[in-house]
Amino acid sequence: MDISSLSPQEQMQFEAAMQRKQVQDFIGLYNRLSQYCFTACCNDFTQRKLSSKQKGCVDNCVTKFFQASHRIGTRFAEAQQLAMEGQQGGGIPGMGQ
């Protein structure tokens, strides 16, 4: 979206809304990550601290979650780029004309 056509006040409002959205997205991601890894790894509540096995599980879970998120984001960006190129070229690549 080109915000240069907006008034300075509208641009500031748009940027503030985008920042709020980014914070909300981050909080949602953090909550999903926490819930998923807690459910997957923390199943023994007989001790006050996490066992070494639980710590390792959480570390692996978080690492895999971020790797998967990064890979999905990369693939999504690639798909968007292909779609943009397809629109500029008059069609979507791989979709018969």
Side-chain angles (χ1 to χ4, degrees):
M1 175 179 186
D2 182 18
I3 65 170
S4 62
S5 62
L6 301 176
S7 71
Q9 182 180 3
E10 291 172 328
Q11 287 179 10
M12 287 179 22
Q13 290 173 343
F14 178 80
E15 289 172 6
M18 291 301 294
Q19 288 176 351
R20 282 191 302 274
K21 176 69 172 137
Q22 288 176 338
V23 168
Q24 289 173 342
D25 289 347
F26 175 78
I27 290 170
L29 176 70
Y30 178 82
N31 287 336
R32 286 189 305 277
L33 171 65
S34 298
Q35 181 65 41
Y36 180 79
C37 292
F38 180 83
T39 301
C41 299
C42 301
N43 45 26
D44 179 11
F45 300 102
T46 59
Q47 298 177 9
R48 295 183 80 192
K49 295 183 179 183
L50 292 175
S51 68
S52 60
K53 182 179 178 183
Q54 290 172 326
K55 287 179 185 179
C57 179
V58 170
D59 286 344
N60 289 336
C61 182
V62 170
T63 299
K64 288 180 181 181
F65 190 92
F66 280 117
Q67 287 173 343
S69 294
H70 182 264
R71 186 174 178 109
I72 290 168
T74 300
R75 296 297 179 248
F76 182 73
E78 290 171 356
Q80 279 187 314
Q81 182 64 31
L82 287 173
M84 293 293 287
E85 290 171 2
Q87 286 178 351
Q88 292 173 354
I92 297 175
M95 306 290 284
Q97 302 259 345

